[in-house]
Amino acid sequence: MSTETLRAWLDERIGLQYLIELARKKDVPLHRHTIWYYFGGMTLFLFVVQVVTGILLLLYYRPSAENAFESVQFIMTDVEFGWLIRSIHSWSANLMIATLMIHMFSAYFLKAYRRPRELTWMSGVLLLGLALAFGFSGYLLPWNKLAFFATKVGTDIAGDLPVIGPFLLRFLRGGDDVTGATLTRFFGFHVAILPALTTFVLALHLLLVQKHGMSVPPSLTSHNLPRMKFFPNFFLRDLIGWILAVGVLAALAALFPWQLGEKADPFAPAPAGIKPEWYFLFMFQTLKLLPGRILFIEGEVIGILAFVIGGIVWLLVPFLDRPEENSRRTRWFTFAGIVLVIYIATMTIVGYLS
Amino acid sequence: MNTDIHRQRGFSCADCHGGDPATDDPTESMNPRKGFIARPAPKDVPAFCGRCHSSADLMKKFNPALRVDQEREYFTSVHGKRLRAGDTKVATCIACHGAHGVRKINDPLSPVYPLNVAETCASCHAKADYMAGYRIAHDQYDKYKRSVHARMLYEQQDLSAPTCNDCHGNHGATPPGVTSVANVCGQCHTRQSSLFQNSPHKAAFDALQLAECTQCHGNHDVLSPRDDMLGVTPPAVCITCHREGDRGYQIAEKMRQRIEELKRRLHEATEILDRAERAGMEVSRAKFELNETRDALTHARVLVHSFSLDELESVIGPGLQQADRVYRAGQAALAELSFRRKGLGVSLFFILFLALLVYLKIRDLEGR
């Protein structure tokens, strides 16, 4: 069967020609901010790395309080290249959240959420939430001391929410305490529920990007910008980034293998100076700095509510800002974004140093 | 008086001192004809307390678990015997327990609470002038404070660590004799004691009239045992009796060598695992397995008391084998580390080469 016949056969069944046309049509505007377009693709690539390495880890991982730690230890020591897969999974998770943040803030500052891309932004914010949930649930799976107490503290914070807090705490933990039930539950979230949700939201996000094409910053819309074909030109540039990312991940895994630590002991005291992963650190540090009581309400509860409201506001940014009018309001949003970045960076650094 | 256990249990002054509690007139209530005893003479103190404390029937009503033979036991002690002989300087019940304000022995403020016993004994035994006529040392307390036993008791607050009465007895306080020292130490150090009893040293020590454990370890100033107590170079205790050329000398020398060998190999294995761990390798299993060698070292140090090379070797041999296995695991981890680094180098070469190819492809595409 020749290539031509195969193509015709496929075209008749799945509309291959249409897909090829779509890919041909896709292009990327070239301007001084084009660099930021790479970060979405990089995040997507790292997500694919997570899926592949995660599936490989599933071949050996055993999700129970009795076996989890030992099975990860087995992966790290006895499984051929297990150390590489596990370290890449851990490092890639962190890099993915980093590139996701860069991608999100670049979209924010370039006002890429303006009409008609509101849903693209919102699906992106949902993906951020899903990525954080992936991080939080995956962190517990090795069942080591740090993970155990980080989960205890994290779920405690969720339990402080008014009204739904106690329910949420029990729902997350599968009981009153962090136990093997929590581990099994988090495993279910991490390898079934979150991937299913992410697949759906990610597909929507990519579909919308495909539909609307690349957003051009408001300051450049009037210019007649040169455009680059996505296939093959921009895609090949993406590819270079991905290949280099594989190199970086390999180097991190070989030179700084992800530590396993000690097995969790529910009866041991929490390790001193326990901290969450870096992407939660700014929130954690904020809660630590809040006073015990603010106007008859616990400071921590106010903080948690502020983060919830902040998240909702962040989701609704496209409806609150009006970038197309280039008004004072949109300049205020830019300024607020800068303040937010400075705040997150400062709190993260303070959290690390404290 | 308010803190006194007798008072708390409802006893009045008259219950001990006699007299008539029914009247407020002091001459009547404290009338010797009515049995009033203001202050018992030292020789009468044991009987004074023993009126109740030696009566099983009475004591059952208040503290059924308390023994009732303290008075009898007291007269078996050096204190009791000397008191009978008319020496009124010796300790009687009230010297240790107090007269008024007697507390339960598990009350931390009681003079006979484990943390306070040594201080209480020292209040007589550490006074040179008080002890002058007795021709016994008065430095026991100072020595004891330097001992491993005192360190456990006072620094680690381990109340099971021995203080004066654990070795000397309390009511029947007597220094353990040459032949009974081993039995006293063996109360806690059972393994060492039984090894010694079955060792060739037992007969030799008995023949020479040497106290067993204390001969090498000292009595009040028992220090933490160290490996250099064993062997043929100072400060080894073996060369106190053994001279070059005799069999004991050779065994002591060999024992020390074997223990040092085990320590050296344990150290090497620990070091290589630490290096691998610092480099990020997962070696926790090997580290756990090294505990077997640590246990072997601890066990070997105990087995020294058998003074038998074969006994020692039965533990040191497997310990060394385990240390070797762990050392090899450490070497394997370092080899794996170097393999990873080389593999990374090779991979990075191909990865960068691939990136270069894609870059050339872009140039080729856009050059056209």
Side-chain angles (χ1 to χ4, degrees):
Chain A
M1 191 189 281
S2 70
T3 321
E4 209 50 51
T5 325
L6 179 67
R7 182 179 288 204
W9 191 89
L10 282 173
D11 187 33
E12 191 181 348
R13 279 148 192 86
I14 58 168
L16 187 65
Q17 201 50 42
Y18 169 73
L19 292 177
I20 291 170
E21 283 307 315
L22 260 186
R24 277 220 183 104
K25 257 205 302 207
K26 189 173 168 63
D27 60 11
V28 178
L30 296 178
H31 47 81
R32 63 175 184 274
H33 296 301
T34 298
I35 179 85
W36 302 113
Y37 294 145
Y38 289 103
F39 283 90
M42 183 61 83
T43 308
L44 178 64
F45 171 73
L46 291 171
F47 179 72
V48 171
V49 169
Q50 286 307 87
V51 172
V52 173
T53 52
I55 288 171
L56 289 172
L57 289 174
L58 270 179
L59 297 176
Y60 290 99
Y61 178 74
R62 295 195 299 271
S64 72
E66 295 76 28
N67 294 317
F69 181 84
E70 285 76 5
S71 68
V72 179
Q73 204 171 36
F74 182 73
I75 289 169
M76 293 291 282
T77 50
D78 291 10
V79 177
E80 208 67 55
F81 291 104
W83 60 272
L84 182 67
I85 299 301
R86 183 194 172 230
S87 281
I88 285 185
H89 192 76
S90 303
W91 274 114
S92 174
N94 280 275
L95 293 186
M96 182 182 95
I97 298 216
T99 56
L100 191 153
M101 294 261 185
I102 295 169
H103 175 58
M104 179 178 74
F105 279 108
S106 66
Y108 180 85
F109 288 119
L110 298 175
K111 311 279 178 187
Y113 51 77
R114 64 195 191 281
R115 214 182 73 159
R117 295 188 176 79
E118 297 94 334
L119 291 180
T120 317
W121 169 264
M122 289 174 82
S123 58
V125 173
L126 287 180
L127 284 170
L128 166 75
L130 287 165
L132 293 179
F134 263 122
F136 187 65
S137 58
Y139 196 62
L140 179 68
L141 299 189
W143 198 246
N144 59 27
K145 206 188 247 183
L146 269 181
F148 178 86
F149 285 103
T151 305
K152 216 178 165 83
V153 173
T155 45
D156 259 333
I157 290 172
D160 281 341
L161 272 168
V163 187
I164 58 162
F167 164 78
L168 194 62
L169 179 96
R170 299 253 290 278
F171 171 74
L172 287 171
R173 289 184 177 179
D176 288 330
D177 289 313
V178 177
T179 58
T182 321
L183 177 72
T184 313
R185 194 163 282 225
F186 273 36
F187 175 75
F189 292 148
H190 193 79
V191 305
I193 297 167
L194 291 170
L197 289 173
T198 306
T199 305
F200 173 72
V201 183
L202 186 60
L204 175 70
H205 191 71
L206 295 175
L207 194 75
L208 290 169
V209 171
Q210 183 60 35
K211 178 173 165 50
H212 298 300
M214 293 297 180
S215 153
V216 175
S219 56
L220 299 168
T221 40
S222 51
H223 298 59
N224 191 6
L225 295 171
R227 300 185 89 83
M228 178 191 278
K229 282 237 156 291
F230 184 82
F231 286 108
N233 308 53
F234 196 84
F235 176 76
L236 287 175
R237 283 173 171 76
D238 258 340
L239 190 60
I240 290 182
W242 299 347
I243 291 168
L244 293 178
V246 168
V248 169
L249 287 173
L252 287 171
L255 301 176
F256 308 102
W258 203 264
Q259 293 298 300
L260 179 56
E262 292 169 46
K263 185 172 178 168
D265 176 4
F267 301 107
I274 188 162
K275 287 183 187 131
E277 282 288 69
W278 63 270
Y279 40 87
F280 290 120
L281 199 51
F282 77 96
M283 294 193 250
F284 183 72
Q285 192 58 32
T286 307
L287 294 180
K288 263 170 67 176
L289 292 178
L290 284 173
R293 295 199 89 73
I294 304 172
L295 305 172
F296 314 112
I297 306 173
E298 269 186 58
E300 195 169 292
V301 175
I302 297 251
I304 296 164
L305 282 176
F307 282 121
V308 171
I309 292 163
I312 294 166
V313 169
W314 195 242
L315 185 71
L316 298 177
V317 156
F319 305 103
L320 303 172
D321 185 15
R322 291 273 176 272
E324 47 279 5
E325 298 160 15
N326 197 17
S327 56
R328 180 183 298 181
R329 188 197 291 197
T330 198
R331 282 197 294 279
W332 189 90
F333 265 88
T334 304
F335 173 74
I338 292 168
V339 170
L340 181 64
V341 170
I342 292 170
Y343 157 72
I344 290 176
T346 310
M347 279 298 178
T348 305
I349 291 164
V350 169
Y352 256 99
L353 298 179
S354 66
Chain B
M1 199 58 217
N2 286 337
T3 59
D4 189 285
I5 183 70
H6 305 103
R7 172 74 184 268
Q8 288 169 6
R9 291 295 168 91
F11 288 87
S12 72
C13 308
D15 287 319
C16 294
H17 291 279
D20 185 0
T23 169
D24 288 338
D25 178 3
T27 51
E28 271 309 296
S29 64
M30 297 196 280
N31 188 337
R33 278 183 299 101
K34 291 191 174 178
F36 178 73
I37 302 166
R39 178 186 289 200
K43 68 177 175 54
D44 299 328
V45 170
F48 190 84
C49 299
R51 269 191 317 146
C52 298
H53 279 272
S54 298
S55 162
D57 281 338
L58 186 92
M59 291 308 295
K60 262 185 222 165
K61 298 174 188 167
F62 295 96
N63 188 350
L66 199 64
R67 289 167 54 171
V68 288
D69 61 350
Q70 299 95 329
E71 188 187 356
R72 211 151 28 96
E73 210 184 5
Y74 172 77
F75 285 112
T76 68
S77 75
V78 174
H79 296 143
K81 287 172 181 168
R82 295 198 73 90
L83 186 74
R84 278 243 162 96
D87 180 354
T88 55
K89 280 172 70 182
V90 293
T92 61
C93 318
I94 57 177
C96 303
H97 291 279
H100 300 128
V102 177
R103 291 166 182 270
K104 292 182 79 167
I105 57 169
N106 56 9
D107 180 335
L109 292 174
S110 162
V112 292
Y113 184 70
L115 290 174
N116 307 328
V117 166
E119 196 89 29
T120 301
C121 299
S123 63
C124 297
H125 281 272
K127 284 183 184 157
D129 50 347
Y130 196 83
M131 301 303 294
Y134 293 110
R135 290 183 315 196
I136 59 170
H138 48 80
D139 59 353
Q140 303 93 327
Y141 181 55
D142 284 335
K143 283 181 164 179
Y144 172 74
K145 278 195 298 191
R146 293 199 300 270
S147 74
V148 64
H149 294 145
R151 207 177 68 221
M152 294 298 290
L153 182 65
Y154 297 120
E155 287 178 25
Q156 305 204 14
Q157 300 279 303
D158 179 353
L159 298 185
S160 67
T163 179
C164 313
N165 65 316
D166 291 293
C167 301
H168 291 275
N170 34 22
H171 300 109
T174 307
V178 163
T179 50
S180 58
V181 163
N183 300 336
V184 171
C185 302
Q187 295 287 320
C188 301
H189 301 279
T190 48
R191 182 104 169 93
Q192 288 87 339
S193 174
S194 71
L195 285 167
F196 187 93
Q197 299 301 318
N198 297 314
S199 78
H201 271 171
K202 170 69 180 161
F205 272 50
D206 286 353
L208 292 167
Q209 283 283 292
L210 295 174
E212 295 173 359
C213 317
T214 56
Q215 185 61 35
C216 301
H217 292 280
N219 49 6
H220 297 111
D221 52 352
V222 177
L223 301 175
S224 276
R226 297 187 322 269
D227 291 328
D228 61 10
M229 288 169 70
L230 173 71
V232 293
T233 49
V237 293
C238 313
I239 49 179
T240 313
C241 303
H242 293 284
R243 293 285 169 269
E244 193 162 3
D246 75 30
R247 192 153 170 273
Y249 186 95
Q250 289 164 356
I251 289 176
E253 187 172 35
K254 190 84 182 126
M255 273 184 163
R256 176 71 188 279
Q257 278 173 1
R258 295 305 280 158
I259 283 191
E260 288 303 322
E261 174 71 1
L262 186 62
K263 276 160 71 181
R264 189 175 61 78
R265 300 270 271 281
L266 174 64
H267 176 73
E268 284 169 356
T270 307
E271 216 171 31
I272 201 168
L273 287 187
D274 285 346
R275 264 171 60 202
E277 194 172 45
R278 279 198 300 275
M281 300 300 292
E282 165 59 41
V283 287
S284 55
R285 194 179 311 162
K287 280 183 95 167
F288 178 75
E289 283 168 358
L290 199 57
N291 285 339
E292 263 181 58
T293 304
R294 277 194 200 91
D295 292 348
L297 180 60
T298 306
H299 195 176
R301 284 168 171 158
V302 173
L303 281 176
V304 163
H305 297 92
S306 70
F307 310 101
S308 150
L309 264 176
D310 291 343
E311 283 270 10
L312 193 73
E313 204 51 46
S314 70
V315 167
I316 285 194
L320 285 172
Q321 283 171 4
Q322 184 64 3
D324 280 349
R325 270 195 296 274
V326 171
Y327 186 80
R328 283 198 297 275
Q331 281 180 315
L334 288 178
E336 167 74 4
L337 185 72
S338 130
F339 164 76
R340 286 182 193 184
R341 295 199 165 153
K342 287 184 189 131
L344 174 67
V346 173
S347 312
L348 282 181
F349 172 78
F350 282 107
I351 286 168
L352 292 172
F353 183 69
L354 190 60
L356 180 71
L357 285 182
V358 178
Y359 172 74
L360 292 174
K361 174 76 186 166
I362 293 172
R363 284 199 37 185
D364 181 46
L365 267 175
E366 293 174 5
R368 265 184 285 155

